[in-house]
């Protein structure tokens, strides 16, 4: 096969991937907002908060959950913190019987978030509080240590799990616009925050078309799991949260593989969390997510062998293959300048087609910019700001890919913990912090 044929094949594959992207965006943009079922009573809610050195945010999160859902239990899974986290949670637990501290110790601690959650759920299911109860009426809600919910969250959880087919649900993750310095010094950080929330806004719309197949994706903060499903998985020797760097998505795949009748719901109730304001930290976080997606490649055969809705099969397959397929699209687009300089030929397109390939992405971006402005009540200047900053953000997203590939193929599996910015108040700090000597494994493992 000569070079022209190779470039032509590359361009055709790139066009097919672009068409898949456009189809996904159009489906997401045209689906009506679903009316989330709500219930004032129903399943019992247990919040699980995996935490490692979260002194800056853990106190405010525990307060938010206890005040917003006062009848729910809050369990903090401390993954061997050596800052104030343990003492802060112990102080809460001493004053509130519905706050519980579970602490992992080395050598089991700081392996990854999934292992911490599997251990915590197993521990709780074996406790007197849950032993012998109807586990189908208990739901574990996984919150990151910086997560915040509103009063609409718990009614939507109870409404979703009133359907016995629903084994999991996901809240609408959004990003608080805090943490970036004021003035010109914080302009880049504010742009990152803005675009992270815009991305989460779009993801919420993508979840709407996924519901056509009965399966939303699980994306982490605000992830809900029925206790009876978790107990059954553990009884079968299957980890509900698999040992990959994107355990939340993998847990959704496990729900679908467990039983074709299972459903994963999407909640319109928002779960607010911190965003990253530093580009280096952002790239490291996204590299972990990309590598975690690559680790899910082994699910593909089972996705196509097990019975499930065709839309779910295609959507999950597209997501799993994205880190690999994106290379094709990048090579096709990135080689255009080199082709002009060298005279190499690929797929020949008429001028109108090239114009369409340019205008179509701009139209999709304008759609999201207008809708995001309306949702947040932003001034009209936010629309051009969105369109100008989006290509910069897209370039930042691409920067994570080389790091993800290097880590994946070199066998690095260490867990990068997302950085928090300070939300510490004196009300959250006890008199004496719990501290201990560092363990050698801390350089390799952490949990997010």
């Amino acid at each position: 096969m000569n070079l022209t044929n190779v470039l032509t094949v590359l361009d055709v594959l790139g066009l097919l991937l672009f068409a898949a992207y456009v189809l996904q965006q159009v489906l997401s943009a045209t689906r009506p907002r679903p009316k989330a079922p709500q219930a004032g009573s129903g399943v019992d809610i247990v919040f699980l908060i995996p935490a490692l050195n979260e002194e800056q945010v853990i106190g405010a999160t525990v307060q938010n959950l206890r005040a917003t859902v006062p009848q729910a239990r809050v369990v903090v899974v401390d993954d061997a913190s050596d800052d104030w986290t343990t003492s802060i949670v112990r102080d809460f637990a001493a004053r509130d019987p519905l706050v519980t501290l579970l602490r992992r110790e080395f050598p089991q601690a700081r392996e990854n978030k999934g292992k911490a959650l599997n251990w915590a759920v197993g521990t709780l299911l074996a406790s007197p509080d849950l032993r012998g109860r109807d586990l189908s009426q208990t739901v574990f809600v996984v919150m990151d240590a910086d997560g915040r919910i509103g009063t609409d969250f718990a009614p939507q959880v109870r409404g979703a799990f009133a359907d016995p087919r629903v084994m999991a649900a996901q809240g609408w993750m959004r990003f608080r616009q805090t943490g970036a310095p004021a003035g010109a010094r914080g302009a880049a950080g504010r742009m990152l925050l803005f675009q992270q929330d815009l991305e989460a806004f779009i993801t919420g719309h993508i979840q709407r078309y996924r519901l056509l197949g009965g399966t939303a994706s699980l994306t982490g903060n605000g992830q809900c799991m029925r206790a009876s499903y978790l107990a059954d998985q553990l009884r079968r020797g299957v980890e509900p949260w698999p040992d990959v760097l994107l355990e939340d998505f993998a847990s959704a795949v496990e729900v679908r593989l467990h039983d074709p009748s299972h459903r994963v719901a999407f909640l319109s109730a928002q779960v607010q969390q911190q965003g990253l304001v530093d580009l280096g930290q952002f790239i490291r976080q996204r590299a972990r997510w990309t590598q975690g997606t690559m680790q899910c490649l082994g699910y593909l055969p089972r996705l196509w062998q097990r019975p499930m809705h065709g839309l779910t099969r295609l959507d999950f397959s597209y997501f799993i293959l994205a880190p690999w397929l994106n290379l094709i699209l990048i090579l096709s687009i990135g080689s255009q300048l080199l082709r002009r300089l060298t005279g190499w030929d690929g797929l020949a397109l008429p001028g109108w087609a090239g114009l369409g390939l340019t205008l179509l992405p701009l139209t999709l971006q304008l759609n999201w910019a207008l809708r995001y402005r309306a949702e947040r009540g932003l001034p009209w200047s936010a629309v051009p700001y969105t369109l100008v900053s989006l290509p910069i953000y897209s370039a930042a997203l691409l920067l994570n890919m080389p790091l993800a590939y290097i880590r994946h193929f070199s066998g690095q599996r260490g867990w990068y913990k997302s950085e928090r910015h300070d939300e510490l108040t004196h009300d959250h700090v006890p008199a004496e912090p719990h501290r201990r000597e560092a363990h050698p494994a801390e350089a390799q493992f952490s949990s997010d």
Side-chain angles (χ1 to χ4, degrees), residues 36-41 43 45 68-69 71 149-162 267 269:
Q38 300 191 36
S41 61
V43 295
I45 295 174
T68 308
V69 194
Q71 66 274 36
I149 60 171
T151 56
D152 57 343
F153 184 81
Q156 288 195 23
V157 171
R158 297 190 183 102
F161 283 90
L267 314 177

Side-chain angles (χ1 to χ4, degrees), residues 390-425:
L390 187 55
I392 302 172
Y393 184 72
S394 299
L397 286 173
L398 290 177
L399 290 175
N400 86 83
M401 295 184 66
L403 178 59
Y405 292 132
I406 291 170
R407 289 179 53 83
H408 183 72
F409 289 112
S410 63
Q412 300 178 54
R413 293 175 56 85
W415 188 275
Y416 170 72
K417 179 187 180 296
S418 299
E419 300 291 332
R420 314 290 189 204
H421 52 261
D422 195 15
E423 293 181 359
L424 188 65
T425 68

Side-chain angles (χ1 to χ4, degrees), residues 29-70:
T30 54
R31 290 296 301 164
R33 180 169 185 163
K35 183 174 176 57
Q38 300 191 36
S41 61
V43 295
D44 296 324
I45 295 174
V46 178
F47 290 105
L48 291 180
I49 311 174
L52 169 61
N53 292 340
E54 300 285 6
E55 65 181 14
Q56 296 162 298
V57 293
I58 190 65
T61 296
V62 172
Q63 285 186 337
N64 168 258
L65 298 177
R66 291 294 299 120
T68 308
V69 194

Side-chain angles (χ1 to χ4, degrees), residues 293-408:
T293 306
M294 297 167 76
Q295 292 174 327
C296 292
L297 190 63
Y299 279 120
L300 275 182
R302 295 169 62 193
L303 281 173
W304 287 87
Q305 291 166 3
R306 296 278 292 172
M308 68 180 65
H309 195 284
L311 179 62
T312 299
R313 182 179 286 120
L314 288 172
D315 180 71
F316 278 15
S317 297
Y318 177 69
F319 185 87
I320 291 171
L321 290 172
W324 314 96
L325 297 177
N326 284 342
L327 271 179
I328 298 174
L329 196 58
I330 292 169
L331 288 173
S332 177
I333 297 173
S335 64
Q336 297 301 317
L337 178 60
L338 185 61
R339 297 186 205 189
R340 291 181 181 274
L341 296 175
T342 60
W344 295 341
D345 293 322
L347 181 65
L349 293 174
W352 62 266
L355 180 63
L357 291 175
T358 301
L359 292 179
L360 189 54
L362 290 176
T363 302
L364 294 171
Q365 292 167 14
L366 179 61
N367 161 70
W368 294 123
L370 291 170
R371 296 171 75 161
Y372 183 67
R373 185 211 71 83
E375 190 227 33
R376 286 189 55 193
L378 300 173
W380 283 101
S381 58
V383 175
Y385 177 79
T386 302
L387 297 177
V388 170
S389 59
L390 187 55
I392 302 172
Y393 184 72
S394 299
L397 286 173
L398 290 177
L399 290 175
N400 86 83
M401 295 184 66
L403 178 59
Y405 292 132
I406 291 170
R407 289 179 53 83
H408 183 72

Side-chain angles (χ1 to χ4, degrees), residues 77-353:
V77 186
D78 186 347
D79 212 12
S81 295
D82 51 20
D83 68 347
W84 296 74
T85 299
T86 302
S87 293
I88 291 171
V89 178
R90 280 179 175 159
D91 189 51
F92 274 107
R95 294 181 280 111
D96 188 341
L98 289 181
V99 175
T100 301
L101 172 68
L102 294 181
R103 182 174 167 88
R104 283 164 64 79
E105 300 290 353
F106 290 105
Q108 287 76 31
R110 300 198 185 188
E111 295 177 307
N112 59 45
K113 178 179 174 182
K115 286 185 179 294
L117 288 172
N118 291 326
W119 171 82
V121 167
T123 300
L124 291 171
L125 291 176
S127 69
D129 289 341
L130 289 179
R131 194 166 47 232
R133 291 177 58 178
D134 180 4
L135 296 179
S136 68
Q137 294 303 301
T138 297
V139 170
F140 289 104
V141 179
V142 180
M143 300 288 296
D144 288 348
D146 61 343
R148 307 284 191 277
I149 60 171
T151 56
D152 57 343
F153 184 81
Q156 288 195 23
V157 171
R158 297 190 183 102
F161 283 90
D163 182 347
R165 299 173 302 170
V166 171
M167 293 297 127
Q170 177 62 53
W172 193 352
M173 280 176 46
R174 299 298 293 270
F175 291 89
R176 297 194 291 276
Q177 302 297 291
T178 60
R185 189 166 60 95
R190 290 195 299 275
M191 184 274 290
L192 270 179
L193 286 171
F194 184 91
Q195 288 291 341
Q196 285 170 82
D197 191 55
L198 173 61
E199 182 184 16
F201 172 77
I202 297 172
T203 298
H205 285 76
I206 292 174
Q207 295 275 42
R208 295 181 186 181
Y209 89 75
R210 287 172 173 157
L211 293 179
L212 293 172
T215 306
S217 182
L218 298 177
T219 56
N221 218 344
Q223 173 190 154
C224 315
M225 305 281 265
R226 198 182 292 270
S228 55
Y229 161 76
L230 296 173
D232 189 51
Q233 288 287 77
L234 292 172
R235 190 162 44 246
R236 295 168 56 234
V238 177
E239 293 183 332
W241 288 276
D243 187 15
V244 297
L245 295 175
L246 199 66
E247 81 297 323
D248 40 24
F249 170 75
S251 66
V253 178
E254 289 289 349
V255 171
R256 294 302 292 129
L257 295 175
H258 180 264
D259 188 319
S261 68
H262 288 345
R263 297 289 183 267
V264 180
F266 176 64
L267 314 177
S268 60
Q270 294 185 8
V271 181
Q272 296 280 341
Q273 65 182 57
Q274 290 187 354
L276 295 177
V277 298
D278 178 82
L279 180 60
Q281 296 171 7
F282 176 78
I283 291 172
R284 288 192 293 274
Q285 181 200 65
R286 295 309 175 99
R288 171 169 68 81
W289 293 4
T290 300
Q291 184 185 1
T293 306
M294 297 167 76
Q295 292 174 327
C296 292
L297 190 63
Y299 279 120
L300 275 182
R302 295 169 62 193
L303 281 173
W304 287 87
Q305 291 166 3
R306 296 278 292 172
M308 68 180 65
H309 195 284
L311 179 62
T312 299
R313 182 179 286 120
L314 288 172
D315 180 71
F316 278 15
S317 297
Y318 177 69
F319 185 87
I320 291 171
L321 290 172
W324 314 96
L325 297 177
N326 284 342
L327 271 179
I328 298 174
L329 196 58
I330 292 169
L331 288 173
S332 177
I333 297 173
S335 64
Q336 297 301 317
L337 178 60
L338 185 61
R339 297 186 205 189
R340 291 181 181 274
L341 296 175
T342 60
W344 295 341
D345 293 322
L347 181 65
L349 293 174
W352 62 266

